[in-house]
Amino acid sequence: MLSFTRWAPRIAFLGLASTMVDAQVPSEAPRIDYVVREADGTPVPSASCHLWIRTPDAELVESWTGSTTANGEGRKVLDEQERELLARGATFELVVPLPIGGETRRTWDPRRREPVELRLAPSGKMDLILCDEAGRPLESGVHFCLRVGEGIDPSARRDMPTERERGSIELDSYERGFDLWAENGRVLTPHVAIGQRVRIEIHQEDKSRPEVERVCDGPRAQGEIVSCPLRAAPPLSHLDLRLCDPSGAPIPDTAYAYRFDGACVRDPYPDVRTGSRGELAILLGCDIDLKLAATPIPEKAAGLEIWAPIVNPRWRARLELAPERFARGGDLGEVRAQEIPVGVRGVVIDSAGRTIPDRAVVLAKQPLESKEQYSGWHLMSSTTDAEGRFEIRVPEEIDRVSLRVVHSHESASSPSNVLLELEGVEPRSPRSLDLQLVLPALGKLGGRVLWDDFVGGFGLALVLEDARGAFLQKEHVYSIYAPPSPFEFDRLRAGESYTLHLGVEMVLVAPRGASGHEYQAVHPFGRAGIHVLRTIERLKLPSNGTPCEDPRLREIDLRGELVTREVTVLDAANRPLANQGIAVALRLKNGEIRSTGATCDAQGRARWLSPQGVLELWLGKGGHALVPLDPQKLQQTIKLSAEPPHSLELLLEDPPPLLPPHVQLTLELRQEDALTLWWAALGGGMLRHTATVHEGRARFALSFPGTCYVCWKLASHRGERSDILWQDYHSLRPVVVRDQPGLQRQTLSWPREEIAEALRKAKH
């Protein structure tokens, strides 16, 4: 799906927000009439239709989303900005995300008066019915997510679009699946492409059963409705209890959180609360990473802690449970909680002594030398009332905390949102129960950037740091606004000094282990994510909260420091590489290797913003060898190779493992030690390669050389069910891929004992 974060400023400027037809638009304004029909001509009502615009600069934006009427018709009247783009030669394309497993699109020709007809490919529907172990329909709320065609085979599953898709029109149903909601466990799907296998992800609303995937055949003929009974996962066991206060009175209608020893704090979904008698249930046996109201089953006795409510909890209970209790669940009866004492109390005021209501106060984690960290720190927070007062309860075993006053609870960990921080607070002491937190005045700084008016929506990144060098905020200015480009940073502490960095976004790539990073690419946030062109230090904000008036900010002149580079990319058959993404590696004069990316337009042209002084320039495309570019030329044409530069075949030592027909052995290569230049040009998305072992061998097509690490997976595939029998992602064996073209062969010993044991367990 196209990233709206990148395009938000541009869309706002063009006025291309999603909207319905405005009745105030003059009747003579150009309009797009359209009709959506099935393959047999039947109108499709309530079909979602998206309008995409490709600007003269080859930029692609989604401007509008509408829905068809009962007779399958729809209309979009162009607004002023869209009419302006039409006059400049932009093309308009209507896209309907149906049938599931494909999409229907048509380009609008303004010279034609008849409605645009979007006729779906042959399709049918599926009647999805979720059933229990006995085959009875489950009458509960269910989320279904359908994936058709690509991604059915779990080994081929992907989370990101392919290179062919990147830069083209991509819809939710194409990348993340088509989501449906069923009130009673049954739903009739929209149109599904015929002749396809469909993977269905099932999420039960009440979380009484874990998530499960099922694969079944879709419709085979136009208009066919396929009945699909789907077996739900076995129900989870659960612990039931009634939460009461020390006197035995129930704690009703209260949101709660809990943890088992050695596990993370879990808080159920916001609508999960104790019942009218304090009753609650904790589900067992579900992977904690699924973010469900469940937890892994401990293998030995463990403690269970419960807090209520979730934010600034007042009640806390702890139980010691035996392992068999986790295996079968059951009723724990009445559990009496102890009241957590108030540890911090005070008032928040401004520099003039006025109280400040509705301000978040949180406990920040502070290292303790000899005590285990309390795992529920993120739960302890409060909000000032109408008189600016707050109080936070703190467990008795904690003897020192830090306090932060922030803009909101969600921004507690962001330095740019911290208004005041107080360290070394001792809970329950007289001072801590009568705190007066004085917030400093807030100021802002802003200015204008002068730079060349480049073609396209290129952006300049601005990063602000405080006096300690901590990254605070990041802003962007786009060439569509230039010249000049205004910027502004707000919510800054008055009286403090700041440093401003201006540059172009390019990820810094360093060797593995450099600067303490485990992987080669430095995370593209903060100053490391941009190539700095200009730094302005010691920007002092007035203590009274007025804006910074530093003359250096009035006009920051970067003209002549950046250039637009353009390359036309041809495939092996000399055809333009249309609407596909490329990556670029740059070696700069200061020795840094930076990485950036661009998308080719319909003519295969890609543009990007580049600093002056580039020593080496390389273009990367997945599945092809790196192509050197001439750093002295701003415009050039290159041709990609026909074959991948490196092929690796791993041969298992004799005799190869004898596996049942339904069992597959899969090898995955992880290329985490690739050469820095290759990494910069192709990025982390090309660092995983998977192949199935067939007749004792597995072949991989690699884009670049370096050290690979071999991982093993043994899986059973029976009909719609897939089970992992054994996998090893820890004892990584290195395999060195040489920097030479052609096929390379290496012999690999295989884990006989582990595979034999996994097959024995699976048999029984």
Side-chain angles (χ1 to χ4, degrees):
M1 187 70 182
L2 195 64
S3 172
F4 283 91
T5 303
R6 176 183 174 188
W7 293 109
R10 183 176 179 84
I11 294 173
F13 176 80
L14 294 175
L16 300 182
S18 295
T19 178
M20 299 302 290
V21 176
D22 191 345
Q24 304 300 319
V25 176
S27 59
E28 65 273 10
R31 72 189 189 198
I32 304 175
D33 293 309
Y34 61 93
V35 59
V36 182
R37 302 184 190 277
E38 297 185 35
D40 59 7
T42 304
V44 181
S46 304
S48 175
C49 188
H50 305 257
L51 176 64
W52 291 76
I53 302 176
R54 189 174 294 278
T55 70
D57 302 329
E59 308 297 343
L60 188 68
V61 292
E62 183 182 16
S63 68
W64 173 85
T65 298
S67 182
T68 58
T69 60
N71 58 1
E73 297 177 351
R75 172 176 292 178
K76 167 68 172 93
V77 178
L78 302 189
D79 59 28
E80 181 179 352
Q81 286 77 20
E82 291 164 341
R83 296 197 299 272
E84 179 182 345
L85 286 172
L86 177 63
R88 293 172 52 197
T91 57
F92 291 67
E93 190 167 15
L94 293 169
V95 182
V96 175
L98 292 175
I100 302 174
E103 60 188 23
T104 305
R105 60 178 70 187
R106 291 291 184 273
T107 300
W108 172 58
D109 186 350
R111 297 169 296 180
R112 300 176 65 91
R113 295 301 179 186
E114 62 270 17
V116 179
E117 184 182 68
L118 295 104
R119 190 172 290 258
L120 307 185
S123 59
K125 296 184 179 181
M126 303 174 67
D127 185 11
L128 306 181
I129 311 168
L130 187 63
C131 303
D132 62 13
E133 295 77 9
R136 298 183 298 264
L138 287 175
E139 296 184 358
S140 62
V142 179
H143 291 275
F144 295 101
C145 180
L146 278 65
R147 301 178 188 271
V148 178
E150 275 200 75
I152 297 303
D153 180 4
S155 66
R157 193 169 178 178
R158 61 184 175 84
D159 296 320
M160 297 297 293
T162 64
E163 289 289 343
R164 180 185 62 80
E165 299 160 5
R166 193 172 294 121
S168 64
I169 299 176
E170 301 149 12
L171 302 179
D172 288 355
S173 61
Y174 204 84
E175 181 180 341
R176 293 192 293 269
F178 198 99
D179 293 315
L180 296 170
W181 162 253
E183 286 286 350
N184 57 359
R186 184 171 186 173
V187 66
L188 183 65
T189 71
H191 301 76
V192 178
I194 65 173
Q196 298 281 351
R197 295 275 283 170
V198 182
R199 188 177 77 238
I200 305 170
E201 300 170 6
I202 303 170
H203 314 260
Q204 202 155 333
E205 180 68 11
D206 61 8
K207 310 304 176 187
S208 61
R209 299 169 185 261
E211 299 178 9
V212 68
E213 293 183 358
R214 298 290 184 246
V215 178
C216 58
D217 291 322
R220 296 293 178 181
Q222 167 64 30
E224 179 185 6
I225 298 179
V226 181
S227 179
C228 297
L230 303 169
R231 182 67 58 85
L236 297 168
S237 59
H238 52 87
L239 297 171
D240 298 307
L241 59 92
R242 295 177 299 282
L243 192 63
C244 303
D245 65 15
S247 68
I251 303 175
D253 193 30
T254 305
Y256 60 92
Y258 63 91
R259 77 179 283 266
F260 290 95
D261 289 349
C264 300
V265 174
R266 306 284 296 142
D267 56 88
Y269 281 79
D271 57 348
V272 178
R273 310 170 73 88
T274 57
S276 59
R277 298 183 296 112
E279 65 271 20
L280 60 88
I282 296 175
L283 301 177
L284 300 170
C286 190
D287 189 343
I288 198 169
D289 291 333
L290 294 179
K291 300 182 179 179
L292 303 179
T295 187
I297 298 177
E299 297 179 355
K300 57 183 180 180
L304 167 64
E305 282 188 285
I306 304 173
W307 297 276
I310 291 178
V311 178
N312 197 12
R314 178 181 179 184
W315 307 104
R316 180 190 186 192
R318 179 174 175 85
L319 302 87
E320 295 293 335
L321 301 175
E324 56 268 18
R325 175 64 76 179
F326 294 105
R328 66 174 187 270
D331 191 349
L332 300 179
E334 179 183 290
V335 175
R336 299 198 178 189
Q338 301 299 316
E339 188 170 20
I340 302 174
V342 175
V344 178
R345 180 188 294 122
V347 63
V348 178
I349 61 176
D350 62 18
S351 56
R354 297 183 293 264
T355 59
I356 302 178
D358 197 31
R359 188 66 74 197
V361 183
V362 301
L363 286 182
K365 197 171 184 179
Q366 179 163 317
L368 306 178
E369 294 181 359
S370 60
K371 294 187 178 182
E372 181 183 357
Q373 291 294 343
Y374 175 61
S375 60
W377 283 78
H378 74 288
L379 309 176
M380 296 187 292
S381 63
S382 182
T383 302
T384 57
D385 59 18
E387 298 178 349
R389 298 192 173 276
F390 70 93
E391 67 176 27
I392 301 177
R393 298 176 181 272
V394 183
E396 294 180 348
E397 68 269 21
I398 299 177
D399 59 5
R400 188 174 301 170
V401 298
S402 293
L403 276 180
R404 279 182 177 178
V405 183
V406 296
H407 288 280
S408 66
H409 292 280
E410 292 76 15
S411 61
S413 60
S414 173
S416 63
N417 290 302
V418 176
L419 303 175
L420 177 68
E421 184 166 8
L422 186 63
E423 299 180 350
V425 177
E426 298 179 0
R428 296 169 295 278
S429 67
R431 175 176 174 270
S432 300
L433 296 175
D434 189 24
L435 290 171
Q436 190 175 71
L437 304 180
V438 183
L439 298 187
L442 298 180
K444 60 183 179 181
L445 62 83
R448 299 193 306 172
V449 182
L450 297 179
W451 54 319
D452 302 290
D453 190 8
F454 300 105
V455 177
F458 295 116
L460 193 71
L462 289 76
V463 172
L464 192 67
E465 296 177 342
D466 62 15
R468 297 171 296 179
F471 164 68
L472 291 182
Q473 298 183 41
K474 187 175 185 178
E475 298 289 342
H476 292 84
V477 293
Y478 287 83
S479 62
I480 195 168
Y481 299 114
S485 299
F487 68 91
E488 182 177 279
F489 293 91
D490 58 3
R491 296 187 302 183
L492 304 177
R493 299 181 189 180
E496 294 196 8
S497 294
Y498 296 89
T499 298
L500 178 64
H501 304 282
L502 300 92
V504 60
E505 284 193 293
M506 288 184 170
V507 179
L508 174 65
V509 182
R512 184 183 178 97
S515 304
H517 291 276
E518 180 182 358
Y519 299 104
Q520 287 177 292
V522 175
H523 207 264
F525 293 113
R527 188 171 54 182
I530 68 171
H531 171 64
V532 177
L533 300 171
R534 186 75 53 83
T535 296
I536 304 177
E537 299 177 326
R538 296 184 296 278
L539 293 170
K540 181 77 171 180
L541 267 65
S543 57
N544 59 2
T546 57
C548 177
E549 299 293 342
D550 195 304
R552 294 175 294 174
L553 298 175
R554 292 174 186 170
E555 288 190 351
I556 305 173
D557 194 349
L558 297 180
R559 288 173 294 188
E561 298 195 28
L562 293 169
V563 294
T564 302
R565 294 187 181 272
E566 179 182 304
V567 60
T568 300
V569 185
L570 305 178
D571 62 16
N574 285 322
R575 295 170 300 194
L577 193 72
N579 302 323
Q580 297 190 38
I582 61 168
V584 178
L586 307 91
R587 191 188 303 274
L588 306 178
K589 286 184 176 180
N590 60 3
E592 291 182 349
I593 293 181
R594 294 272 176 175
S595 177
T596 188
T599 301
C600 299
D601 61 16
Q603 289 73 43
R605 294 175 304 187
R607 299 187 184 98
W608 68 92
L609 209 56
S610 170
Q612 298 275 19
V614 176
L615 297 180
E616 293 183 63
L617 198 59
W618 298 80
L619 184 144
K621 174 68 178 171
H624 300 272
L626 285 185
V627 180
L629 302 177
D630 188 345
Q632 304 302 320
K633 296 180 179 179
L634 299 182
Q635 293 182 325
Q636 49 195 301
T637 300
I638 61 101
K639 182 179 178 180
L640 297 176
S641 62
E643 299 293 334
H646 303 89
S647 295
L648 175 66
E649 187 174 68
L650 295 180
L651 307 176
L652 301 189
E653 292 180 348
D654 291 331
L658 298 176
L659 304 177
H662 64 279
V663 176
Q664 287 184 347
L665 180 61
T666 302
L667 296 182
E668 179 183 284
L669 292 185
R670 298 186 174 187
Q671 267 185 300
E672 295 177 355
D673 278 344
L675 300 178
T676 302
L677 186 63
W678 291 90
W679 178 293
L682 290 167
M686 304 302 300
L687 300 181
R688 299 290 187 272
H689 309 271
T690 303
T692 300
V693 176
H694 180 66
E695 296 182 352
R697 64 187 62 200
R699 179 170 290 191
F700 301 86
L702 307 178
S703 297
F704 46 86
T707 302
C708 301
Y709 296 92
V710 180
C711 307
W712 301 83
K713 183 174 74 172
L714 191 70
S716 169
H717 304 281
R718 293 181 182 269
E720 63 183 39
R721 182 185 178 113
S722 297
D723 297 303
I724 296 177
L725 306 179
W726 172 78
Q727 58 185 2
D728 183 6
Y729 288 123
H730 301 290
S731 55
L732 303 178
R733 172 176 173 175
V735 174
V736 178
V737 180
R738 298 182 299 275
D739 188 6
Q740 64 184 44
L743 179 64
Q744 304 177 37
R745 287 189 174 93
Q746 297 191 36
T747 302
L748 187 68
S749 60
W750 55 280
R752 292 179 174 83
E753 296 182 2
E754 290 85 349
I755 291 179
E757 178 66 15
L759 292 174
R760 185 187 65 79
K761 290 182 178 179
K763 183 177 180 180
H764 295 285

